[in-house]
Amino acid sequence: ISKGGKRLSSLVEDLLEIARIEAQDIYLAKEHIDLPLLLDELAAQFSDETLRRQLTLKVGKCPDHISPVGDHHHLRQALERILKNALKFTPPEGFIKLEANHKTAEELLDMKSAIEPFCPTFFRKTPLLDHIEICITDSGVGIAKKDRLQIFDKFHGAGDINLHGKHQYSVQGPSAGLGLPLAKGMIEAHGGMIWVDSPQFSNPGSCFHVLLPLYQTHRTSNG
């Protein structure tokens, strides 16, 4: 009963947050994000969980000369949801990697045809500026191409629901399907976008890409 009550409370909170995001009724700070520190914090936060699930979680390359702009609290929550999804669908002895890199406007335009379906409004920005890309890669069960757009829809579950929670380290029981939609809504509220594809060095597996605007130093009127 206690677990059921906590789960119901969490579901209600997620539904309320979805409603606030859709109504654009949420305050987001526009501050400098120390991305290397944030990724290290996430790795430390989930270190016990990865150990319990017999997984390897590491932080890869991350530029320290540029940073995204956003709300640290809400951005961290969005990345936590993506990371929890990776943990849930990666079997024991698998790995999860966090890393980031700089994406120029030209590089993004070259990728437009492949990623625009995930957020058609992203490429309406004029001008399109450089962004920072955060990648969360796992060696999990992977996501079929036909499901890659739908997994960001509310209450959608990719794959066979009967296979969920079948090994001892899996989350027991299916989720409500709100984690990724919440992450997507929050990232887009930051002026970014998210998409998923297959990692280059793991098959099966998934790689979630998060684009965020770069922090711009505000010049004074005398500058």
Side-chain angles (χ1 to χ4, degrees):
I1 294 173
S2 176
K3 289 182 179 179
K6 290 178 180 179
R7 180 170 174 79
L8 180 59
S9 176
S10 177
L11 176 59
V12 171
E13 289 176 3
D14 286 349
L15 288 170
L16 290 174
E17 185 173 352
I18 282 275
R20 287 192 294 267
I21 292 173
E22 292 178 343
Q24 299 182 348
D25 184 25
I26 190 166
Y27 171 77
L28 295 177
K30 294 182 179 180
E31 56 193 2
H32 166 273
I33 303 294
D34 186 334
L35 192 55
L37 177 61
L38 176 57
L39 296 187
D40 285 339
E41 287 176 348
L42 287 169
Q45 176 183 343
F46 289 96
S47 60
D48 289 344
E49 182 74 2
T50 54
L51 182 63
R52 184 177 72 85
R53 292 171 181 263
Q54 302 179 10
L55 303 174
T56 299
L57 172 60
K58 67 177 183 177
V59 177
K61 63 180 181 179
C62 183
D64 55 11
H65 63 289
I66 56 174
S67 62
V69 59
D71 186 294
H72 184 277
H73 171 72
H74 286 102
L75 179 57
R76 177 167 174 161
Q77 278 192 327
L79 295 177
E80 284 176 0
R81 295 182 189 279
I82 302 169
L83 191 48
K84 286 178 182 178
N85 189 77
L87 287 166
K88 180 177 180 179
F89 292 105
T90 302
E93 300 185 3
F95 74 87
I96 298 170
K97 185 177 183 180
L98 308 174
E99 59 185 338
N101 56 81
H102 178 206
K103 284 292 184 183
T104 66
E106 290 75 17
E107 288 175 319
L108 293 176
L109 287 172
D110 288 341
M111 301 162 58
K112 181 178 179 180
S113 60
I115 68 176
E116 188 177 28
F118 290 91
C119 181
T121 59
F122 179 82
F123 286 95
R124 296 176 190 171
K125 298 178 182 179
T126 306
L128 180 65
L129 302 176
D130 290 6
H131 284 65
I132 197 162
E133 178 189 33
I134 303 169
C135 301
I136 300 178
T137 307
D138 66 65
S139 60
V141 297
I143 302 170
K145 286 186 177 181
K146 64 182 179 63
D147 287 316
R148 290 178 184 173
L149 285 173
Q150 286 73 23
I151 61 170
F152 296 104
D153 293 339
K154 288 179 290 187
F155 309 115
H156 178 83
D160 185 352
I161 202 71
N162 294 315
L163 298 179
H164 291 197
K166 288 301 182 183
H167 64 75
Q168 60 179 322
Y169 298 104
S170 176
V171 174
Q172 298 302 311
S175 69
L178 293 176
L180 292 178
L182 278 166
K184 180 177 188 290
M186 187 56 67
I187 290 162
E188 291 181 0
H190 276 80
M193 70 169 290
I194 180 174
W195 75 94
V196 63
D197 59 18
S198 298
Q200 297 178 349
F201 49 84
S202 175
N203 186 25
S206 301
C207 183
F208 284 83
H209 305 258
V210 174
L211 284 180
L212 292 168
L214 295 179
Y215 179 80
Q216 304 290 334
T217 303
H218 293 291
R219 297 182 177 181
T220 64
S221 57
N222 294 327

